[in-house]
Amino acid sequence: MRKVIWGISIIFLLVIILLIIYFSFYLTSPIRECKGESNQEVRDWCIHDFAIKSADWKICEEISDKTSYQTPNYLLRDFCYSSIAYSTKDPSICEKLSSDSSPVSCEDSVNIKIAQDSQDPSKCSVISDEYWRDRCTRDIGKATLNISLCSTVEIDNSGKTINTFDVNCVIKIGVETNDTSVCEIFKGNSDYNVPSCYETLAWGLCDVLICNKIEGNVPNDRLEEVKEYCVSNVKKFC
């Protein structure tokens, strides 16, 4: 019997200690101080800052629906949710945003961060916006120097599906790898990009010899003129 009483006493004592610790924290916690603010906007921003530091979206729920961020229709509470969703890479938090704050855009931003941080282009596929989905893939292509990721699928005037390559993506890889052969990728379906590709690489690598490679969609009677212009610009800017 004594052991039972002793055990109960120990448990009771532990509960009392935990309650003291809990209430001591609550009474002195920043969230408690925030709620003591008389000005609602100051109070809401205080809670917002505490939520961001804590990376805890549940604290965002304490923000009123009266305070907005930048625009009247964008609530500070929604900004709090989206910020934590982005920092914690948890797109499910975006579901808590009001419809005016575009939960889908929030999810896209988070998914872009997830894909880019992991440098996994397959993760770009869940992005709903077509522009940002393609941009996500191209940015990973530039970061990993994978030229195949610079391509996008487009529909031409006849309704035919064609693969095109983003000029900036291709040139970035060419400069990083010191490889002028990347411009060859435009031959056939994007000939008009071949001259500008070589010209930009010449500037980027400060190499006038690359100007001699210019060809493609340039009339023969202007080819030398275009090459000379390329050379003069390289000398001017390098």
Side-chain angles (χ1 to χ4, degrees):
M1 179 62 72
R2 285 183 179 179
K3 290 183 178 180
V4 174
I5 295 173
W6 176 253
I8 293 174
S9 299
I10 293 296
I11 292 173
F12 180 75
L13 182 61
L14 288 173
V15 170
I16 294 298
I17 293 173
L18 289 172
L19 287 173
I20 291 173
I21 293 173
Y22 171 78
F23 283 109
S24 295
F25 171 77
Y26 176 76
L27 292 173
T28 59
S29 69
I31 192 71
R32 175 76 173 182
E33 294 177 11
C34 292
K35 290 184 176 180
E37 291 284 353
S38 57
N39 183 294
Q40 180 175 274
E41 186 171 349
V42 173
R43 169 187 174 276
D44 286 342
W45 272 104
C46 178
I47 295 172
H48 165 272
D49 293 345
F50 181 59
I52 298 300
K53 289 178 181 177
S54 306
D56 185 353
W57 64 265
K58 293 179 182 176
I59 298 175
C60 300
E61 296 178 338
E62 300 290 334
I63 301 174
S64 73
D65 60 356
K66 305 297 183 183
T67 303
S68 60
Y69 176 72
Q70 292 186 337
T71 61
N73 292 331
Y74 190 24
L75 298 178
L76 178 62
R77 184 170 58 199
D78 288 342
F79 177 62
C80 183
Y81 284 137
S82 60
S83 297
I84 294 175
Y86 187 83
S87 65
T88 60
K89 294 189 281 193
D90 183 357
S92 66
I93 298 175
C94 296
E95 298 173 3
K96 303 183 180 302
L97 273 70
S98 61
S99 57
D100 289 338
S101 298
S102 185
V104 174
S105 295
C106 171
E107 291 174 358
D108 281 352
S109 295
V110 176
N111 285 320
I112 288 171
K113 180 174 176 58
I114 291 171
Q116 292 184 341
D117 285 355
S118 64
Q119 294 193 340
D120 182 353
S122 67
K123 288 182 167 57
C124 297
S125 61
V126 298
I127 298 169
S128 62
D129 186 278
E130 183 180 1
Y131 170 80
W132 287 109
R133 185 168 59 246
D134 290 342
R135 172 74 178 270
C136 174
T137 303
R138 291 197 303 270
D139 285 347
I140 293 175
K142 287 189 281 189
T144 59
L145 304 181
N146 184 346
I147 201 168
S148 67
L149 299 179
C150 294
S151 67
T152 57
V153 177
E154 294 183 0
I155 308 297
D156 65 12
N157 294 331
S158 65
K160 181 182 177 182
T161 301
I162 57 173
N163 285 326
T164 60
F165 286 84
D166 180 76
V167 177
N168 292 327
C169 181
V170 171
I171 290 173
K172 170 72 163 51
I173 293 174
V175 171
E176 291 292 330
T177 58
N178 195 18
D179 182 7
T180 60
S181 69
V182 296
C183 296
E184 302 291 317
I185 205 166
F186 295 115
K187 290 185 176 180
N189 59 4
S190 301
D191 284 343
Y192 59 90
N193 282 323
V194 176
S196 62
C197 179
Y198 281 123
E199 189 172 7
T200 308
L201 277 180
W203 297 345
L205 296 173
C206 290
D207 186 352
V208 295
L209 295 179
I210 298 175
C211 296
N212 293 326
K213 295 178 178 289
I214 292 177
E215 54 183 89
N217 193 27
V218 179
N220 289 331
D221 60 341
R222 290 197 62 243
L223 187 57
E224 289 306 314
E225 177 187 344
V226 171
K227 289 181 179 180
E228 289 175 6
Y229 178 76
C230 172
V231 171
S232 67
N233 276 328
V234 172
K235 290 180 178 179
K236 180 179 179 180
F237 296 108
C238 289

